[in-house]
Amino acid sequence: MKVLITGTSQGIGKAIAEYFLEKGHSVIGIDRNDASVSDENYTHYILDVRDKENYPEIEKPEILINNAGTQNEDDIDINLKALISITEKYGVHENIKAVLNIGSASGHTGSEFPEYAASKGGVLAYTKNVAMRIAKFGATCNSLDPGGVLTPLNECVIDDPELWKEIMDETPLRRWATTREIAEWAYFLTVTNSFCTGQNILVDGGESINYNFVWKEE
């Protein structure tokens, strides 16, 4: 299938692109940085997802994965408004099979930075809107909402032993996801899945269920 993925130069987006290529799909990537994926079935466009006046003409993809995002840099414009623009251009048509939005656990909990949490909360709501509109094509739309993931953007806390211990104390599984694990979820929700739609799938190692109940021991 033809798969369009935004934000493919590093981290989760790169891992998703590589996973789909391994499975034999044709992948188109959009990123404001140069390509870091090398494969004969990969096409790369250097473009800021906010620049909707210059979106390339891409023949209708069957799968759209909105991964491009940022933290503390015009979060609402990039994480939400651009995601909407990309989806409306490439994701709502009769040939679509699946749209997947990469959200965040912060959209469920409201944690992290204010605009980041707000942008990801908007993604959760917009996911349901799109699911309703593409259902007539037999297509699904869900969001995949990770907690901590081992990416270069998170190295500032991953490499700090004190902060890392604090974070692990808040995570029942006591580890963060690899980008490969998130890619496997992305594949399942878009290729394997054909019935689950309009859902916000939280994948956070149990962090959001940690209630931190403290009591005196008997």
Tab-separated table of all heavy atoms in Angstrom, residues 21 39 41 48 62 105 114 122 165 192 205:
chain	number	residue	atom	x	y	z
A	21	LEU	N	8.377	-0.081	5.344
A	21	LEU	CA	9.218	-0.479	4.207
A	21	LEU	C	9.634	-1.940	4.331
A	21	LEU	O	9.640	-2.674	3.335
A	21	LEU	CB	10.443	0.426	4.126
A	21	LEU	CG	10.158	1.861	3.659
A	21	LEU	CD1	11.343	2.768	3.965
A	21	LEU	CD2	9.832	1.899	2.169
A	39	ASP	N	15.789	3.875	0.989
A	39	ASP	CA	15.149	2.675	0.446
A	39	ASP	C	14.567	3.044	-0.915
A	39	ASP	O	14.071	4.155	-1.094
A	39	ASP	CB	14.042	2.187	1.390
A	39	ASP	CG	13.503	0.823	0.998
A	39	ASP	OD1	12.699	0.768	0.038
A	39	ASP	OD2	13.848	-0.165	1.653
A	41	ASN	N	11.902	2.227	-2.177
A	41	ASN	CA	10.460	2.432	-2.098
A	41	ASN	C	10.083	3.618	-1.207
A	41	ASN	O	8.928	3.746	-0.787
A	41	ASN	CB	9.771	1.167	-1.578
A	41	ASN	CG	9.821	0.038	-2.585
A	41	ASN	OD1	9.616	0.265	-3.783
A	41	ASN	ND2	10.103	-1.169	-2.123
A	48	ASP	N	7.978	21.965	5.726
A	48	ASP	CA	7.391	22.212	7.041
A	48	ASP	C	5.894	21.953	6.920
A	48	ASP	O	5.233	22.508	6.029
A	48	ASP	CB	7.650	23.666	7.454
A	48	ASP	CG	7.256	23.947	8.898
A	48	ASP	OD1	6.129	23.582	9.298
A	48	ASP	OD2	8.070	24.556	9.621
A	62	GLU	N	-3.216	5.384	0.700
A	62	GLU	CA	-4.193	4.503	1.354
A	62	GLU	C	-4.089	4.585	2.876
A	62	GLU	O	-5.054	4.309	3.588
A	62	GLU	CB	-3.973	3.061	0.883
A	62	GLU	CG	-4.278	2.880	-0.587
A	62	GLU	CD	-3.547	1.691	-1.181
A	62	GLU	OE1	-2.359	1.818	-1.536
A	62	GLU	OE2	-4.187	0.619	-1.280
A	105	ALA	N	0.263	10.701	25.651
A	105	ALA	CA	-0.396	10.477	26.935
A	105	ALA	C	-0.801	11.801	27.567
A	105	ALA	O	-1.776	11.874	28.319
A	105	ALA	CB	0.534	9.707	27.871
A	114	PRO	N	1.773	23.480	28.917
A	114	PRO	CA	0.377	23.822	28.623
A	114	PRO	C	-0.017	23.707	27.155
A	114	PRO	O	-1.025	23.055	26.835
A	114	PRO	CB	0.264	25.271	29.126
A	114	PRO	CG	1.271	25.367	30.213
A	114	PRO	CD	2.421	24.508	29.769
A	122	GLY	N	-6.358	18.273	21.538
A	122	GLY	CA	-7.075	18.559	20.307
A	122	GLY	C	-6.974	17.431	19.302
A	122	GLY	O	-7.935	17.126	18.583
A	165	LYS	N	15.422	8.102	37.449
A	165	LYS	CA	14.889	7.294	38.550
A	165	LYS	C	13.498	7.781	38.939
A	165	LYS	O	12.588	6.969	39.172
A	165	LYS	CB	15.815	7.361	39.764
A	165	LYS	CG	15.321	6.504	40.940
A	165	LYS	CD	16.214	6.607	42.138
A	165	LYS	CE	15.699	5.674	43.252
A	165	LYS	NZ	14.291	5.921	43.616
A	192	THR	N	-3.418	-4.067	10.105
A	192	THR	CA	-4.122	-5.230	10.658
A	192	THR	C	-5.547	-4.881	11.051
A	192	THR	O	-6.495	-5.590	10.725
A	192	THR	CB	-3.368	-5.780	11.878
A	192	THR	OG1	-2.006	-6.036	11.523
A	192	THR	CG2	-4.024	-7.057	12.388
A	205	GLY	N	3.107	2.315	29.281
A	205	GLY	CA	3.753	1.511	30.314
A	205	GLY	C	3.045	1.583	31.656
A	205	GLY	O	3.628	1.226	32.681
